[in-house]
Amino acid sequence: MQFLSRWDSQRLSTTTRGIPLVDGLSAEDIGSQRWSPARGDLALPALTLDETSFAANRDLFLAWCASAGVAVAPHAKTPMSPELARSLRAAGAWGTTVASLQQAAVLLAHGERRLLLANEIGGLASGRRLGALLSAYPDVEFHAFADSPEAVAALAEAARIAGRSALSVLVELGAGRAGARDRAAVEATIAAVLAADRLVLGGVATYEGAAATADTDETMRAIAALMARTIETFALVRTAAPGRPLIISAGGSAYFDIVTRALVPVAQADGDATVLLRSGALFFADHGIYARAFAELDRRSGLVIHGARHSAAEGFRPALTLWAEVLSRPEAGLAIAGFGMRDASFDQGLPVPLRVFRDGVAQQGLAETLSVSRLNDQHAFLSAAPGSALAVGDIIAFGISHPCTCLDRWRVILALDIDGVVTRALPTQFG
């Protein structure tokens, strides 16, 4: 079954944001163009990925995981880029996490063979869709979440259609989002899995980020309570599935250190369990929500790798840059830049001006005179300090907050080398 055409059979054109006035350029030939966003070679706005920073984030986090005794299945929902998912797995990731059947189909069609579906799939109709998908990939190792007997029934239907005899189910418990809320719901879910002929208990799962609030102390208490429930649920699953290797899955990009400290001793005491994180956004980092999260992590303990403490705030480097041109200086103190809500995330903070270029030359100190005050659909309103030398035609590099809701606005991310030159096109597959 073929779900997707291959990206390298496609050609770039002006229908893709960021691509200049060229039609029919082969995707694999983009690096030979030597385009530089700072020089104005791209059709702005454009979103770029600093490959050096992405690789540094990858290596730092995988080193921390190895030291901490955990595995990671990076969440593909952040970039939905098969190429980046493949690169993380090749570097040592356990596999890949997805959040929906569509995302699973994309990753399977691009060769991934170990997936964690970190979400309930819905009812029997969704179960039939999952079954049809899995029947096309009999060699895939697949794990899915369930938090109720109804969710289990949908997965049983998927296993039946796919002809699977042992589809792995992780019992999800939660706070604030999906997940069983009490022991009775957990026990009902476990019983439903045991009663299904084609399902097996694969472990437990939760998501601590859904328990977070604006109050740090309250967040710590809520996560601690959720970890206690996770440990209790793991004991119930282990009793129901003696002798099976099990997964304990948690850990986004903000509190992975806390869940690791809570869950690794449980896995070690069990002797046949793996703590599996699902962090995804931290490979991209940012200038907003994750910059703040890494600063909080440093206040807790930092990244301890083989006994040495490292700063998360300094170690994780923002890898995404949004490039836009100044379109107008209509009045003193105001500039209009050519990007907006269609191009940038704004749910966790507005973009931050980082650097200004004029004719390809960096203008020292100019970005510090600017701030983004609001966005329209395709315009950014910049407040400029009195006397700011910002001019029409200047190109501004912006940092973003929250990679997940920025990347999903782009069909193509353009990768940059250490010199700021485009090396390749990375397609996204958000559907």
Side-chain angles (χ1 to χ4, degrees):
M1 186 181 298
Q2 184 65 38
F3 287 92
L4 298 170
S5 61
R6 287 182 54 83
W7 167 256
D8 58 14
S9 68
Q10 299 183 34
R11 294 185 176 274
L12 301 175
S13 72
T14 53
T15 64
T16 303
R17 273 181 301 166
I19 301 302
L21 294 174
V22 293
D23 283 314
L25 177 68
S26 172
E28 56 264 30
D29 291 336
I30 191 170
S32 64
Q33 306 302 305
R34 303 295 297 170
W35 288 332
S36 166
R39 290 197 307 261
D41 295 337
L42 301 179
L44 303 180
L47 184 68
T48 63
L49 174 74
D50 182 330
E51 297 227 59
T52 301
S53 294
F54 182 83
N57 295 341
R58 175 200 67 205
D59 294 345
L60 175 64
F61 189 60
L62 290 179
W64 180 86
C65 287
S67 175
V70 300
V72 60
H75 211 315
K77 72 176 178 61
T78 299
M80 274 311 293
S81 165
E83 286 79 4
L84 293 179
R86 187 181 308 119
S87 74
L88 293 172
R89 178 175 47 77
W94 174 92
T96 304
T97 296
V98 294
S100 68
L101 300 190
Q102 184 269 341
Q103 291 176 12
V106 169
L107 273 296
L108 289 171
H110 284 85
E112 296 304 308
R113 290 298 177 266
R114 185 186 256 178
L115 293 186
L116 179 68
L117 177 53
N119 204 357
E120 281 70 26
I121 64 170
L124 293 178
S126 290
R128 290 189 285 271
R129 286 190 287 272
L130 175 58
L133 176 63
L134 292 179
S135 67
Y137 300 99
D139 59 330
V140 68
E141 179 182 336
F142 194 87
H143 306 263
F145 288 10
D147 64 0
S148 66
E150 292 81 6
V152 171
L155 294 175
E157 179 71 357
R160 182 188 68 79
I161 291 174
R164 296 221 166 192
S165 59
L167 182 62
S168 172
V169 179
L170 274 63
V171 178
E172 184 186 13
L173 62 150
R177 203 170 71 178
R181 292 296 197 264
D182 53 36
R183 180 169 177 143
V186 167
E187 291 177 337
T189 303
I190 292 172
V193 174
L194 294 177
D197 293 336
R198 296 176 177 271
L199 303 180
V200 295
L201 286 167
V204 301
T206 192
Y207 175 53
E208 73 288 349
T213 71
D215 182 273
T216 300
D217 292 339
E218 183 180 342
T219 294
M220 294 301 104
R221 289 192 294 270
I223 293 177
L226 184 61
M227 291 301 100
R229 292 175 53 211
T230 302
I231 293 167
E232 178 189 45
T233 300
F234 177 77
L236 294 174
V237 171
R238 172 51 78 202
T239 298
R244 282 190 55 80
L246 296 178
I247 291 169
I248 313 174
S249 182
S253 293
Y255 305 104
F256 57 86
D257 59 320
I258 296 174
V259 303
T260 295
R261 281 197 296 272
L263 299 178
V264 164
V266 177
Q268 290 175 338
D270 179 83
D272 198 13
T274 299
V275 175
L276 182 62
L277 306 182
R278 307 192 300 273
S279 316
L282 59 72
F283 295 101
F284 300 89
D286 68 7
H287 286 87
I289 181 175
Y290 288 107
R292 296 189 292 272
F294 298 148
E296 285 294 327
L297 194 156
D298 283 343
R299 280 189 277 273
R300 293 194 293 268
S301 63
L303 296 170
V304 179
I305 302 176
H306 303 302
R309 181 178 177 180
H310 300 259
S311 168
E314 295 176 5
F316 288 114
R317 311 177 194 171
L320 295 173
T321 303
L322 181 69
W323 300 82
E325 188 172 5
V326 177
L327 306 181
S328 176
R329 288 296 315 270
E331 58 188 63
L334 176 64
I336 306 299
F339 78 93
M341 291 184 289
R342 293 180 176 181
D343 311 297
S345 50
F346 53 89
D347 57 309
Q348 299 287 348
L350 293 171
V352 179
L354 303 175
R355 298 176 299 279
V356 178
F357 296 88
R358 185 173 297 159
D359 300 323
V361 178
Q363 305 298 295
Q364 299 302 319
L366 191 47
E368 289 77 7
T369 70
L370 308 172
S371 63
V372 178
S373 58
R374 63 188 178 97
L375 301 177
N376 282 165
D377 56 351
Q378 290 188 247
H379 295 88
F381 293 73
L382 275 64
S383 297
S388 172
L390 188 71
V392 170
D394 286 349
I395 293 173
I396 306 176
F398 294 88
I400 59 94
S401 178
H402 201 188
C404 301
T405 55
C406 185
L407 286 160
D408 67 1
R409 289 163 161 78
W410 292 86
R411 287 170 50 199
V412 172
I413 316 161
L414 299 175
L416 301 183
D417 64 15
I418 196 170
D419 296 319
V421 173
V422 174
T423 58
R424 59 176 173 152
L426 293 165
T428 64
Q429 303 279 358
F430 286 100

